[in-house]
């Protein structure tokens, strides 16, 4: 009898304990970390927190604030290989905040700022021991970074910019522009993906090229009465004018992953290159707006009416979202002014 009494008492105790455990809730201890990390004495930090609920941090924990839970695409080990060197003085912090505003945020109005990632981190240098950065659009732009990165996002609405004062103060004008443009390209692409802005791109942007997405370039070229190839040493390449006149952008990374600098040698015949997907197609236009030279815009792209129609829609879309794309690249005005 005593044994049964003991068993009953034990069952009651365990039952009460189980009920108490069911009522347990997470402590959310990390929820209160942001106010401690935010330096509201910095005007830019204060403005973005109060107006847009965007947290700009220069003091943070690498794992808790950037690498934690990075499991998409089986890239956990790659995220572990990311090395972050922090800004180590108020002088470099102020420099980084100044350059973040000057190179990125100044081109975005209130509407776009309201949809920025919840957290923006500032660093001195970001590097990776992995062959490729994980879960990122880095590598698509015509000016690419390898080994060290100045713009890098994770899948959880946190983005990191690196500003190394020592090296940036030695930049030539060309290096400064390339650095600005790669920051803008990666960041804007990240926000488009994060907020699924692809759904807001007008259907008219795709209407003239929808039959091309993901299709073999060779198969489309073979439909022409005469194969659209160059002459002489360029006979093994499709003419860039033909590709562009279809309404497409020809970048160094699309359709070939290893395209050369010259537009005339980016489309080798018989390599089974594919036209880009819809999303990449739109990103290619952003790539062109940021990186293409005035000479190439005028020589190769301006004569194509189909391309021009699509570019004007893309410009209007970026402007509607709140990105001052014409201020970023005044050369685009030639398409707005109907130049010949």
């Amino acid at each position: 009898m005593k044994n049964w009494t003991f068993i009953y008492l034990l069952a009651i105790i365990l039952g009460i304990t189980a009920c108490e455990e069911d009522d347990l809730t997470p402590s959310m201890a990390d929820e209160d970390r942001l106010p401690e990390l935010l330096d509201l004495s910095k005007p830019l930090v204060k403005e973005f927190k109060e107006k847009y609920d965007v947290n700009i941090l220069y003091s943070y924990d690498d794992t808790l604030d950037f690498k934690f839970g990075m499991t998409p695409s089986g890239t956990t080990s790659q995220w572990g290989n990311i090395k972050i060197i922090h800004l180590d003085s108020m002088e470099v912090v102020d420099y980084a905040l100044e350059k973040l505003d000057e190179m990125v945020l100044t081109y975005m109005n209130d509407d776009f700022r309201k949809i920025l990632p919840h957290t923006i981190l500032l660093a001195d240098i970001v590097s990776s021991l992995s062959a490729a950065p994980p879960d990122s659009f880095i590598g698509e732009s015509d000016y690419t970074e390898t080994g060290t990165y100045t713009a890098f996002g994770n899948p959880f609405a946190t983005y990191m910019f690196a500003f190394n004062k020592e090296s940036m103060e030695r930049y030539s004008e060309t290096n400064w522009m390339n650095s600005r443009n790669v920051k803008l390209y990666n960041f804007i692409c990240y926000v488009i993906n994060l907020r699924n802005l692809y759904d807001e791109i007008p259907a008219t942007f795709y209407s003239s090229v929808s039959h091309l997405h993901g299709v073999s370039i060779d198969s489309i070229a073979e439909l022409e009465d005469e194969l659209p190839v160059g002459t002489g040493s360029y006979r093994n390449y499709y003419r860039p004018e033909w590709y562009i006149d279809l309404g497409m952008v020809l970048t160094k990374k699309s359709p070939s992953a290893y395209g050369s600098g010259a537009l005339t040698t980016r489309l080798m015949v018989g390599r089974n290159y594919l036209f880009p997907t819809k999303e990449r197609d739109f990103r290619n236009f952003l790539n062109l707006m940021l990186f293409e030279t005035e000479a190439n815009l005028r020589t190769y792209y301006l004569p194509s009416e189909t391309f021009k129609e699509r570019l004007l829609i893309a410009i209007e879309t970026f402007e509607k979202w709140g990105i001052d794309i014409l201020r970023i690249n005044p050369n685009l005005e030639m398409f707005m002014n109907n130049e010949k």
Side-chain angles (χ1 to χ4, degrees):
M1 184 66 180
K2 289 182 180 179
N3 288 341
W4 283 108
T5 301
F6 175 78
I7 292 171
Y8 289 143
L9 289 172
L10 181 61
I12 292 170
I13 292 169
L14 290 174
I16 293 171
T17 303
C19 291
E20 289 176 348
E21 288 179 352
D22 288 342
D23 293 334
L24 292 177
T25 57
S27 67
M28 299 299 180
D30 287 341
E31 273 193 351
D32 297 327
R33 295 179 68 253
L34 277 178
E36 296 178 2
L37 300 177
L38 278 171
D39 184 355
L40 297 178
S41 71
K42 306 297 183 183
L44 190 70
V45 176
K46 182 178 175 66
E47 176 190 2
F48 271 74
K49 178 60 179 177
E50 294 181 349
K51 292 181 65 174
Y52 315 113
D53 195 26
V54 173
N55 302 280
I56 301 176
L57 306 178
Y58 63 84
S59 177
Y60 49 86
D61 183 273
D62 297 357
T63 299
L64 290 177
D65 296 302
F66 194 63
K67 301 180 189 178
F68 180 75
M70 299 306 162
T71 57
S73 309
T75 55
T76 306
S77 60
Q78 287 179 307
W79 283 100
N81 284 330
I82 296 170
K83 181 179 179 181
I84 301 167
I85 298 177
H86 289 254
L87 302 167
D88 61 3
S89 72
M90 280 301 106
E91 179 186 0
V92 294
V93 167
D94 289 338
Y95 181 86
L97 287 167
E98 175 189 335
K99 294 307 172 187
L100 173 66
D101 193 23
E102 178 185 343
M103 302 176 82
V104 180
L105 301 177
T106 187
Y107 301 108
M108 301 166 182
N109 71 12
D110 280 358
D111 290 336
F112 199 76
R113 291 176 177 188
K114 289 175 183 175
I115 62 171
L116 294 183
H118 183 61
T119 307
I120 293 176
L121 307 178
L122 301 181
D124 188 335
I125 298 173
V126 180
S127 59
S128 176
L129 301 177
S130 303
D135 307 310
S136 175
F137 292 121
I138 292 176
E140 283 188 358
S141 67
D142 273 1
Y143 178 83
T144 58
E145 302 176 307
T146 56
T148 59
Y149 303 98
T150 64
F152 200 3
N154 72 31
F156 300 105
T158 300
Y159 203 86
M160 181 173 288
F161 288 100
F163 299 93
N164 182 261
K165 183 175 184 292
E166 183 179 356
S167 62
M168 291 183 68
E169 287 182 333
R170 297 196 302 266
Y171 277 178
S172 65
E173 182 179 353
T174 299
N175 285 341
W176 191 94
M177 290 294 291
N178 284 334
S179 179
R180 182 203 70 168
N181 290 343
V182 78
K183 284 177 169 66
L184 284 169
Y185 178 82
N186 287 325
F187 191 50
I188 293 170
C189 287
Y190 179 86
V191 176
I192 290 173
N193 189 66
L194 180 69
R195 305 305 183 194
N196 200 25
L197 297 184
Y198 292 114
D199 288 346
E200 298 182 13
I201 298 169
T204 51
F205 177 77
Y206 294 116
S207 57
S208 62
V209 299
S210 58
H211 63 292
L212 298 177
H213 293 136
V215 174
S216 163
I217 293 174
D218 291 323
S219 67
I220 298 299
E222 289 165 2
L223 296 176
E224 302 285 349
D225 294 335
E226 183 177 339
L227 201 64
V229 296
T231 58
S233 59
Y234 300 113
R235 63 185 179 277
N236 293 323
Y237 300 91
Y238 295 119
R239 290 183 292 106
E241 296 90 344
W242 166 77
Y243 186 84
I244 292 166
D245 205 42
L246 292 173
M248 287 291 177
V249 170
L250 186 57
T251 78
K252 292 180 183 179
K253 302 294 180 180
S254 177
S256 169
Y258 307 99
S260 69
L263 271 71
T264 50
T265 56
R266 289 187 189 172
L267 285 172
M268 186 169 283
V269 176
R271 291 298 182 92
N272 198 32
Y273 294 148
L274 303 179
F275 287 97
T277 61
K278 284 180 60 176
E279 292 80 5
R280 181 65 180 270
D281 183 14
F282 187 78
R283 295 198 298 271
N284 283 350
F285 271 76
L286 176 60
N287 187 93
L288 171 132
M289 293 176 188
L290 294 174
F291 295 98
E292 193 54 89
T293 65
E294 179 183 4
N296 281 346
L297 287 172
R298 190 175 297 279
T299 301
Y300 292 99
Y301 289 94
L302 192 59
S304 172
E305 288 300 319
T306 304
F307 168 81
K308 180 181 174 182
E309 290 173 5
R310 300 193 73 209
L311 180 66
L312 292 178
I313 295 170
I315 291 174
E316 182 181 356
T317 301
F318 283 113
E319 296 282 342
K320 180 181 177 182
W321 286 341
I323 300 170
D324 195 348
I325 200 74
L326 294 176
R327 182 179 161 215
I328 295 171
N329 186 1
N331 290 325
L332 298 175
E333 292 284 356
M334 72 176 76
F335 296 92
M336 307 292 291
N337 298 334
N338 204 28
E339 295 183 26
K340 298 296 183 182

